[in-house]
Amino acid sequence: MRHAVLSIVAVFAISACTAPPDAGIDPAQLPPEVSSSGSDCVSLFRLFDTMEKNMSTPTGWRDRVVAPPELMWMAGRLRQANCMTLTADLAGMEAVPVAPAPTAGPAISPISVHAGVVTNMNDDARSRAYFENQGIGVRTIGNGALGRRVYLGPFATGSEVERAMNVAREAGFAYPYVVPRF
């Protein structure tokens, strides 16, 4: 237990001293509503991403658990803050009209959007079908601590990123944010 607490403290200290996960992306190339969301949930998701990225996988008992205890603790914080996308949040998603394709804009380094986390396989399938119908590349990745994480993209222009984030919000994903990976 003492090691788990020390690991959590170390991750917080490291994350305070390191650049956010989307470092290297020029915010001037993104629309204002994309580059700064200010959401507590987005901050928590980014902290989860940082913890997951910096977590080692030593041999021993931790390799046999679904998710390391530190990630389970952070996932609990995300749940307590109501950051998960529930089935009720996605009600009416299929009725959202297809958004117009974005106009070409200045090129950016390819980036993706983390739309959110769904908590069951039915919502995963509905989400994938919805984004595919909108003409947006989508992939989901299971995470033992959270559920299915929904990623959109990659995108090569700021207007594509803005459209993807708006389409995600219209579907019921409240906290999309830009990620440099995938």
Side-chain angles (χ1 to χ4, degrees):
M1 180 68 177
R2 182 176 169 196
H3 292 292
V5 172
L6 290 175
S7 295
I8 292 169
V9 170
V11 168
F12 279 117
I14 291 169
S15 66
C17 298
T18 60
D22 58 352
I25 298 170
D26 182 5
Q29 293 179 320
L30 298 174
E33 55 276 2
V34 172
S35 59
S36 60
S37 76
S39 165
D40 288 339
C41 286
V42 171
S43 297
L44 289 173
F45 274 119
R46 286 187 170 152
L47 181 57
F48 183 93
D49 292 342
T50 301
M51 289 175 71
E52 186 176 44
K53 179 181 174 186
N54 293 322
M55 193 159 288
S56 64
T57 54
T59 58
W61 71 271
R62 295 182 111 213
D63 288 341
R64 294 186 295 264
V65 296
V66 174
E70 297 88 349
L71 285 183
M72 295 300 289
W73 174 82
M74 193 65 213
R77 287 205 48 208
L78 283 159
R79 282 188 190 84
Q80 289 173 341
N82 295 317
C83 299
M84 311 305 268
T85 303
L86 304 175
T87 302
D89 298 325
L90 301 176
M93 172 175 62
E94 290 81 4
V96 174
V98 174
T103 58
I108 59 174
S109 297
I111 57 174
S112 294
V113 170
H114 177 266
V117 175
V118 293
T119 57
N120 63 65
M121 295 304 286
N122 185 48
D123 288 344
D124 174 54
R126 289 177 58 216
S127 298
R128 283 186 286 116
Y130 168 75
F131 288 114
E132 288 169 357
N133 186 48
Q134 292 281 343
I136 297 173
V138 60
R139 65 209 162 284
T140 61
I141 300 172
N143 182 291
L146 290 176
R148 300 289 301 177
R149 299 187 78 176
V150 180
Y151 291 95
L152 309 176
F155 303 105
T157 67
S159 55
E160 290 175 327
V161 173
E162 180 180 12
R163 175 181 180 256
M165 292 181 77
N166 288 334
V167 166
R169 285 186 194 103
E170 289 176 9
F173 292 93
Y175 309 105
Y177 65 95
V178 174
V179 293
R181 59 185 176 161
F182 301 110

